[in-house]
Amino acid sequence: MQLPAEAVATTVLLEVVRISELPTKRGAAYPGRAGAHLIGSEAAGVLTLIESLPGSVQHRCGFSPGWSVRAYADTLDQALFEAAFCFSCHEVRMHGTAVPPALATQFFDAGAPQAHALLTLFREAAPQRIGPGHNT
């Protein structure tokens, strides 16, 4: 998979988000709750893992992403890019100031070991619930 190279080079913070619904308008952030904030070598490792995802073809599911990552530069004001992953249709949709149109929609092999490792990382980063109405 291809990420915007310049944005990857300037990323200092990577946020893992458990998506709760689709955005109401194109280009808006995916609603959800951040489960992890990664910096330094952890962020770089996840970006490298994402870039290692092998390509695939589209599978039809209607695009229902469960996870996204948001990359931030040192100003931390606006995300350089957000990539939302649907492991059912093997699709990634990216948007943000650093995303050229050619990279906005890509397909990855959700059965590949790299995809399994990424999904495991996402699940481990998920916000945990203690009980009804009590999030940690």
Side-chain angles (χ1 to χ4, degrees), residues 85-115:
F85 294 82
C86 180
F87 285 83
S88 296
C89 67
H90 302 214
E91 186 172 343
V92 177
R93 292 186 187 173
M94 277 193 289
H95 67 269
T97 58
V99 180
L103 300 183
T105 301
Q106 298 180 54
F107 301 95
F108 67 101
D109 181 356
Q114 300 94 318

PDB file of all heavy atoms in Angstrom, residues 85-115:
ATOM      1  N   PHE A  85      -9.730   1.802   7.302  1.00  0.00           N
ATOM      2  CA  PHE A  85      -9.563   0.440   6.810  1.00  0.00           C
ATOM      3  C   PHE A  85     -10.842  -0.368   6.952  1.00  0.00           C
ATOM      4  O   PHE A  85     -11.409  -0.448   8.037  1.00  0.00           O
ATOM      5  CB  PHE A  85      -8.469  -0.275   7.617  1.00  0.00           C
ATOM      6  CG  PHE A  85      -7.102   0.304   7.427  1.00  0.00           C
ATOM      7  CD1 PHE A  85      -6.710   1.421   8.144  1.00  0.00           C
ATOM      8  CD2 PHE A  85      -6.216  -0.264   6.531  1.00  0.00           C
ATOM      9  CE1 PHE A  85      -5.449   1.968   7.978  1.00  0.00           C
ATOM     10  CE2 PHE A  85      -4.952   0.276   6.362  1.00  0.00           C
ATOM     11  CZ  PHE A  85      -4.568   1.392   7.086  1.00  0.00           C
ATOM     12  N   CYS A  86     -11.262  -0.996   5.856  1.00  0.00           N
ATOM     13  CA  CYS A  86     -12.366  -1.962   5.894  1.00  0.00           C
ATOM     14  C   CYS A  86     -11.763  -3.329   5.581  1.00  0.00           C
ATOM     15  O   CYS A  86     -11.306  -3.576   4.462  1.00  0.00           O
ATOM     16  CB  CYS A  86     -13.452  -1.605   4.888  1.00  0.00           C
ATOM     17  SG  CYS A  86     -14.824  -2.788   4.911  1.00  0.00           S
ATOM     18  N   PHE A  87     -11.754  -4.201   6.573  1.00  0.00           N
ATOM     19  CA  PHE A  87     -11.168  -5.522   6.403  1.00  0.00           C
ATOM     20  C   PHE A  87     -12.129  -6.484   5.708  1.00  0.00           C
ATOM     21  O   PHE A  87     -11.750  -7.598   5.374  1.00  0.00           O
ATOM     22  CB  PHE A  87     -10.701  -6.085   7.756  1.00  0.00           C
ATOM     23  CG  PHE A  87      -9.436  -5.433   8.241  1.00  0.00           C
ATOM     24  CD1 PHE A  87      -9.470  -4.218   8.910  1.00  0.00           C
ATOM     25  CD2 PHE A  87      -8.204  -6.023   8.022  1.00  0.00           C
ATOM     26  CE1 PHE A  87      -8.304  -3.601   9.339  1.00  0.00           C
ATOM     27  CE2 PHE A  87      -7.030  -5.422   8.449  1.00  0.00           C
ATOM     28  CZ  PHE A  87      -7.083  -4.206   9.107  1.00  0.00           C
ATOM     29  N   SER A  88     -13.373  -6.070   5.452  1.00  0.00           N
ATOM     30  CA  SER A  88     -14.330  -6.903   4.725  1.00  0.00           C
ATOM     31  C   SER A  88     -14.185  -6.746   3.218  1.00  0.00           C
ATOM     32  O   SER A  88     -14.155  -7.728   2.488  1.00  0.00           O
ATOM     33  CB  SER A  88     -15.767  -6.559   5.125  1.00  0.00           C
ATOM     34  OG  SER A  88     -15.980  -6.850   6.482  1.00  0.00           O
ATOM     35  N   CYS A  89     -14.097  -5.488   2.746  1.00  0.00           N
ATOM     36  CA  CYS A  89     -13.980  -5.272   1.302  1.00  0.00           C
ATOM     37  C   CYS A  89     -12.543  -4.987   0.872  1.00  0.00           C
ATOM     38  O   CYS A  89     -12.296  -4.711  -0.296  1.00  0.00           O
ATOM     39  CB  CYS A  89     -14.924  -4.172   0.828  1.00  0.00           C
ATOM     40  SG  CYS A  89     -14.556  -2.518   1.421  1.00  0.00           S
ATOM     41  N   HIS A  90     -11.615  -5.053   1.826  1.00  0.00           N
ATOM     42  CA  HIS A  90     -10.186  -4.900   1.538  1.00  0.00           C
ATOM     43  C   HIS A  90      -9.856  -3.498   1.026  1.00  0.00           C
ATOM     44  O   HIS A  90      -8.903  -3.318   0.277  1.00  0.00           O
ATOM     45  CB  HIS A  90      -9.703  -5.932   0.522  1.00  0.00           C
ATOM     46  CG  HIS A  90      -9.923  -7.355   0.938  1.00  0.00           C
ATOM     47  ND1 HIS A  90      -9.054  -8.350   0.596  1.00  0.00           N
ATOM     48  CD2 HIS A  90     -10.897  -7.963   1.653  1.00  0.00           C
ATOM     49  CE1 HIS A  90      -9.489  -9.507   1.081  1.00  0.00           C
ATOM     50  NE2 HIS A  90     -10.614  -9.277   1.722  1.00  0.00           N
ATOM     51  N   GLU A  91     -10.614  -2.512   1.444  1.00  0.00           N
ATOM     52  CA  GLU A  91     -10.447  -1.152   0.939  1.00  0.00           C
ATOM     53  C   GLU A  91      -9.906  -0.217   2.020  1.00  0.00           C
ATOM     54  O   GLU A  91     -10.262  -0.327   3.183  1.00  0.00           O
ATOM     55  CB  GLU A  91     -11.794  -0.618   0.440  1.00  0.00           C
ATOM     56  CG  GLU A  91     -11.716   0.722  -0.242  1.00  0.00           C
ATOM     57  CD  GLU A  91     -13.026   1.136  -0.889  1.00  0.00           C
ATOM     58  OE1 GLU A  91     -13.907   0.289  -1.104  1.00  0.00           O
ATOM     59  OE2 GLU A  91     -13.164   2.341  -1.177  1.00  0.00           O
ATOM     60  N   VAL A  92      -9.069   0.698   1.589  1.00  0.00           N
ATOM     61  CA  VAL A  92      -8.577   1.777   2.429  1.00  0.00           C
ATOM     62  C   VAL A  92      -8.948   3.077   1.730  1.00  0.00           C
ATOM     63  O   VAL A  92      -8.688   3.240   0.532  1.00  0.00           O
ATOM     64  CB  VAL A  92      -7.042   1.741   2.602  1.00  0.00           C
ATOM     65  CG1 VAL A  92      -6.558   2.925   3.414  1.00  0.00           C
ATOM     66  CG2 VAL A  92      -6.602   0.453   3.236  1.00  0.00           C
ATOM     67  N   ARG A  93      -9.550   3.985   2.485  1.00  0.00           N
ATOM     68  CA  ARG A  93      -9.829   5.317   1.954  1.00  0.00           C
ATOM     69  C   ARG A  93      -9.035   6.319   2.774  1.00  0.00           C
ATOM     70  O   ARG A  93      -9.077   6.291   4.000  1.00  0.00           O
ATOM     71  CB  ARG A  93     -11.314   5.642   2.022  1.00  0.00           C
ATOM     72  CG  ARG A  93     -12.126   4.792   1.074  1.00  0.00           C
ATOM     73  CD  ARG A  93     -13.570   5.219   1.038  1.00  0.00           C
ATOM     74  NE  ARG A  93     -14.357   4.280   0.243  1.00  0.00           N
ATOM     75  CZ  ARG A  93     -15.662   4.317   0.144  1.00  0.00           C
ATOM     76  NH1 ARG A  93     -16.357   5.253   0.782  1.00  0.00           N
ATOM     77  NH2 ARG A  93     -16.295   3.428  -0.594  1.00  0.00           N
ATOM     78  N   MET A  94      -8.303   7.169   2.052  1.00  0.00           N
ATOM     79  CA  MET A  94      -7.483   8.178   2.717  1.00  0.00           C
ATOM     80  C   MET A  94      -7.929   9.569   2.297  1.00  0.00           C
ATOM     81  O   MET A  94      -8.336   9.784   1.153  1.00  0.00           O
ATOM     82  CB  MET A  94      -6.011   8.019   2.332  1.00  0.00           C
ATOM     83  CG  MET A  94      -5.279   6.987   3.130  1.00  0.00           C
ATOM     84  SD  MET A  94      -3.488   7.113   2.910  1.00  0.00           S
ATOM     85  CE  MET A  94      -3.308   6.539   1.239  1.00  0.00           C
ATOM     86  N   HIS A  95      -7.822  10.477   3.238  1.00  0.00           N
ATOM     87  CA  HIS A  95      -8.048  11.888   2.938  1.00  0.00           C
ATOM     88  C   HIS A  95      -7.146  12.717   3.845  1.00  0.00           C
ATOM     89  O   HIS A  95      -6.606  12.215   4.810  1.00  0.00           O
ATOM     90  CB  HIS A  95      -9.527  12.271   3.101  1.00  0.00           C
ATOM     91  CG  HIS A  95      -9.996  12.192   4.521  1.00  0.00           C
ATOM     92  ND1 HIS A  95     -10.547  11.074   5.057  1.00  0.00           N
ATOM     93  CD2 HIS A  95      -9.960  13.093   5.534  1.00  0.00           C
ATOM     94  CE1 HIS A  95     -10.853  11.278   6.324  1.00  0.00           C
ATOM     95  NE2 HIS A  95     -10.495  12.502   6.641  1.00  0.00           N
ATOM     96  N   GLY A  96      -7.010  13.967   3.496  1.00  0.00           N
ATOM     97  CA  GLY A  96      -6.184  14.884   4.278  1.00  0.00           C
ATOM     98  C   GLY A  96      -5.379  15.777   3.368  1.00  0.00           C
ATOM     99  O   GLY A  96      -5.328  15.575   2.153  1.00  0.00           O
ATOM    100  N   THR A  97      -4.754  16.750   3.972  1.00  0.00           N
ATOM    101  CA  THR A  97      -4.018  17.759   3.208  1.00  0.00           C
ATOM    102  C   THR A  97      -2.854  17.176   2.419  1.00  0.00           C
ATOM    103  O   THR A  97      -2.444  17.739   1.414  1.00  0.00           O
ATOM    104  CB  THR A  97      -3.489  18.848   4.153  1.00  0.00           C
ATOM    105  OG1 THR A  97      -2.651  18.246   5.144  1.00  0.00           O
ATOM    106  CG2 THR A  97      -4.620  19.592   4.837  1.00  0.00           C
ATOM    107  N   ALA A  98      -2.327  16.047   2.843  1.00  0.00           N
ATOM    108  CA  ALA A  98      -1.148  15.470   2.196  1.00  0.00           C
ATOM    109  C   ALA A  98      -1.477  14.332   1.229  1.00  0.00           C
ATOM    110  O   ALA A  98      -0.569  13.712   0.691  1.00  0.00           O
ATOM    111  CB  ALA A  98      -0.193  14.948   3.269  1.00  0.00           C
ATOM    112  N   VAL A  99      -2.759  14.064   0.996  1.00  0.00           N
ATOM    113  CA  VAL A  99      -3.139  12.903   0.183  1.00  0.00           C
ATOM    114  C   VAL A  99      -3.448  13.317  -1.250  1.00  0.00           C
ATOM    115  O   VAL A  99      -4.438  14.012  -1.498  1.00  0.00           O
ATOM    116  CB  VAL A  99      -4.364  12.179   0.790  1.00  0.00           C
ATOM    117  CG1 VAL A  99      -4.755  10.976  -0.063  1.00  0.00           C
ATOM    118  CG2 VAL A  99      -4.076  11.754   2.216  1.00  0.00           C
ATOM    119  N   PRO A 100      -2.624  12.884  -2.202  1.00  0.00           N
ATOM    120  CA  PRO A 100      -2.951  13.148  -3.602  1.00  0.00           C
ATOM    121  C   PRO A 100      -4.121  12.253  -4.031  1.00  0.00           C
ATOM    122  O   PRO A 100      -4.309  11.162  -3.484  1.00  0.00           O
ATOM    123  CB  PRO A 100      -1.666  12.779  -4.351  1.00  0.00           C
ATOM    124  CG  PRO A 100      -0.917  11.877  -3.445  1.00  0.00           C
ATOM    125  CD  PRO A 100      -1.355  12.194  -2.043  1.00  0.00           C
ATOM    126  N   PRO A 101      -4.918  12.688  -5.008  1.00  0.00           N
ATOM    127  CA  PRO A 101      -6.080  11.905  -5.435  1.00  0.00           C
ATOM    128  C   PRO A 101      -5.761  10.453  -5.808  1.00  0.00           C
ATOM    129  O   PRO A 101      -6.564   9.554  -5.552  1.00  0.00           O
ATOM    130  CB  PRO A 101      -6.613  12.682  -6.650  1.00  0.00           C
ATOM    131  CG  PRO A 101      -6.157  14.089  -6.422  1.00  0.00           C
ATOM    132  CD  PRO A 101      -4.832  13.970  -5.708  1.00  0.00           C
ATOM    133  N   ALA A 102      -4.593  10.210  -6.360  1.00  0.00           N
ATOM    134  CA  ALA A 102      -4.224   8.854  -6.778  1.00  0.00           C
ATOM    135  C   ALA A 102      -4.127   7.877  -5.603  1.00  0.00           C
ATOM    136  O   ALA A 102      -4.229   6.663  -5.787  1.00  0.00           O
ATOM    137  CB  ALA A 102      -2.903   8.876  -7.538  1.00  0.00           C
ATOM    138  N   LEU A 103      -3.930   8.384  -4.384  1.00  0.00           N
ATOM    139  CA  LEU A 103      -3.791   7.514  -3.213  1.00  0.00           C
ATOM    140  C   LEU A 103      -5.070   7.434  -2.372  1.00  0.00           C
ATOM    141  O   LEU A 103      -5.103   6.721  -1.370  1.00  0.00           O
ATOM    142  CB  LEU A 103      -2.647   8.010  -2.327  1.00  0.00           C
ATOM    143  CG  LEU A 103      -1.253   8.057  -2.945  1.00  0.00           C
ATOM    144  CD1 LEU A 103      -0.233   8.495  -1.904  1.00  0.00           C
ATOM    145  CD2 LEU A 103      -0.881   6.721  -3.549  1.00  0.00           C
ATOM    146  N   ALA A 104      -6.110   8.140  -2.766  1.00  0.00           N
ATOM    147  CA  ALA A 104      -7.313   8.260  -1.934  1.00  0.00           C
ATOM    148  C   ALA A 104      -8.036   6.934  -1.706  1.00  0.00           C
ATOM    149  O   ALA A 104      -8.587   6.710  -0.632  1.00  0.00           O
ATOM    150  CB  ALA A 104      -8.268   9.282  -2.535  1.00  0.00           C
ATOM    151  N   THR A 105      -8.057   6.053  -2.687  1.00  0.00           N
ATOM    152  CA  THR A 105      -8.712   4.748  -2.543  1.00  0.00           C
ATOM    153  C   THR A 105      -7.739   3.672  -2.995  1.00  0.00           C
ATOM    154  O   THR A 105      -7.227   3.724  -4.114  1.00  0.00           O
ATOM    155  CB  THR A 105      -9.995   4.671  -3.393  1.00  0.00           C
ATOM    156  OG1 THR A 105     -10.886   5.705  -2.978  1.00  0.00           O
ATOM    157  CG2 THR A 105     -10.688   3.323  -3.213  1.00  0.00           C
ATOM    158  N   GLN A 106      -7.495   2.709  -2.092  1.00  0.00           N
ATOM    159  CA  GLN A 106      -6.598   1.601  -2.404  1.00  0.00           C
ATOM    160  C   GLN A 106      -7.199   0.315  -1.855  1.00  0.00           C
ATOM    161  O   GLN A 106      -8.090   0.347  -1.007  1.00  0.00           O
ATOM    162  CB  GLN A 106      -5.222   1.839  -1.785  1.00  0.00           C
ATOM    163  CG  GLN A 106      -4.528   3.088  -2.306  1.00  0.00           C
ATOM    164  CD  GLN A 106      -3.184   3.295  -1.665  1.00  0.00           C
ATOM    165  OE1 GLN A 106      -2.325   2.407  -1.679  1.00  0.00           O
ATOM    166  NE2 GLN A 106      -2.975   4.475  -1.090  1.00  0.00           N
ATOM    167  N   PHE A 107      -6.685  -0.807  -2.333  1.00  0.00           N
ATOM    168  CA  PHE A 107      -7.170  -2.109  -1.882  1.00  0.00           C
ATOM    169  C   PHE A 107      -5.989  -2.926  -1.373  1.00  0.00           C
ATOM    170  O   PHE A 107      -4.897  -2.865  -1.919  1.00  0.00           O
ATOM    171  CB  PHE A 107      -7.888  -2.832  -3.022  1.00  0.00           C
ATOM    172  CG  PHE A 107      -9.054  -2.037  -3.527  1.00  0.00           C
ATOM    173  CD1 PHE A 107      -8.920  -1.210  -4.622  1.00  0.00           C
ATOM    174  CD2 PHE A 107     -10.270  -2.075  -2.866  1.00  0.00           C
ATOM    175  CE1 PHE A 107      -9.989  -0.437  -5.070  1.00  0.00           C
ATOM    176  CE2 PHE A 107     -11.343  -1.314  -3.293  1.00  0.00           C
ATOM    177  CZ  PHE A 107     -11.200  -0.495  -4.404  1.00  0.00           C
ATOM    178  N   PHE A 108      -6.210  -3.662  -0.277  1.00  0.00           N
ATOM    179  CA  PHE A 108      -5.148  -4.452   0.333  1.00  0.00           C
ATOM    180  C   PHE A 108      -5.647  -5.877   0.562  1.00  0.00           C
ATOM    181  O   PHE A 108      -6.843  -6.128   0.619  1.00  0.00           O
ATOM    182  CB  PHE A 108      -4.684  -3.822   1.649  1.00  0.00           C
ATOM    183  CG  PHE A 108      -5.723  -3.859   2.753  1.00  0.00           C
ATOM    184  CD1 PHE A 108      -5.662  -4.809   3.767  1.00  0.00           C
ATOM    185  CD2 PHE A 108      -6.767  -2.946   2.788  1.00  0.00           C
ATOM    186  CE1 PHE A 108      -6.613  -4.844   4.778  1.00  0.00           C
ATOM    187  CE2 PHE A 108      -7.717  -2.964   3.791  1.00  0.00           C
ATOM    188  CZ  PHE A 108      -7.642  -3.921   4.787  1.00  0.00           C
ATOM    189  N   ASP A 109      -4.725  -6.794   0.690  1.00  0.00           N
ATOM    190  CA  ASP A 109      -5.044  -8.200   0.936  1.00  0.00           C
ATOM    191  C   ASP A 109      -5.277  -8.390   2.435  1.00  0.00           C
ATOM    192  O   ASP A 109      -4.323  -8.473   3.210  1.00  0.00           O
ATOM    193  CB  ASP A 109      -3.904  -9.085   0.438  1.00  0.00           C
ATOM    194  CG  ASP A 109      -4.172 -10.570   0.638  1.00  0.00           C
ATOM    195  OD1 ASP A 109      -5.207 -10.932   1.233  1.00  0.00           O
ATOM    196  OD2 ASP A 109      -3.329 -11.365   0.191  1.00  0.00           O
ATOM    197  N   ALA A 110      -6.549  -8.439   2.834  1.00  0.00           N
ATOM    198  CA  ALA A 110      -6.892  -8.563   4.257  1.00  0.00           C
ATOM    199  C   ALA A 110      -6.524  -9.925   4.839  1.00  0.00           C
ATOM    200  O   ALA A 110      -6.519 -10.096   6.054  1.00  0.00           O
ATOM    201  CB  ALA A 110      -8.378  -8.285   4.470  1.00  0.00           C
ATOM    202  N   GLY A 111      -6.189 -10.874   3.993  1.00  0.00           N
ATOM    203  CA  GLY A 111      -5.776 -12.192   4.472  1.00  0.00           C
ATOM    204  C   GLY A 111      -4.272 -12.324   4.654  1.00  0.00           C
ATOM    205  O   GLY A 111      -3.794 -13.341   5.168  1.00  0.00           O
ATOM    206  N   ALA A 112      -3.525 -11.313   4.257  1.00  0.00           N
ATOM    207  CA  ALA A 112      -2.064 -11.356   4.352  1.00  0.00           C
ATOM    208  C   ALA A 112      -1.616 -11.258   5.809  1.00  0.00           C
ATOM    209  O   ALA A 112      -2.298 -10.654   6.639  1.00  0.00           O
ATOM    210  CB  ALA A 112      -1.452 -10.211   3.542  1.00  0.00           C
ATOM    211  N   PRO A 113      -0.455 -11.832   6.136  1.00  0.00           N
ATOM    212  CA  PRO A 113       0.060 -11.743   7.505  1.00  0.00           C
ATOM    213  C   PRO A 113       0.199 -10.300   8.001  1.00  0.00           C
ATOM    214  O   PRO A 113      -0.067 -10.022   9.167  1.00  0.00           O
ATOM    215  CB  PRO A 113       1.427 -12.426   7.423  1.00  0.00           C
ATOM    216  CG  PRO A 113       1.366 -13.296   6.219  1.00  0.00           C
ATOM    217  CD  PRO A 113       0.411 -12.650   5.275  1.00  0.00           C
ATOM    218  N   GLN A 114       0.589  -9.383   7.126  1.00  0.00           N
ATOM    219  CA  GLN A 114       0.724  -7.982   7.523  1.00  0.00           C
ATOM    220  C   GLN A 114      -0.632  -7.405   7.940  1.00  0.00           C
ATOM    221  O   GLN A 114      -0.724  -6.634   8.893  1.00  0.00           O
ATOM    222  CB  GLN A 114       1.286  -7.129   6.374  1.00  0.00           C
ATOM    223  CG  GLN A 114       2.643  -7.547   5.899  1.00  0.00           C
ATOM    224  CD  GLN A 114       2.571  -8.511   4.703  1.00  0.00           C
ATOM    225  OE1 GLN A 114       1.757  -9.416   4.650  1.00  0.00           O
ATOM    226  NE2 GLN A 114       3.474  -8.311   3.761  1.00  0.00           N
ATOM    227  N   ALA A 115      -1.701  -7.776   7.218  1.00  0.00           N
ATOM    228  CA  ALA A 115      -3.048  -7.293   7.549  1.00  0.00           C
ATOM    229  C   ALA A 115      -3.506  -7.871   8.882  1.00  0.00           C
ATOM    230  O   ALA A 115      -4.118  -7.169   9.694  1.00  0.00           O
ATOM    231  CB  ALA A 115      -4.028  -7.647   6.442  1.00  0.00           C
TER     232      ALA A 115
END
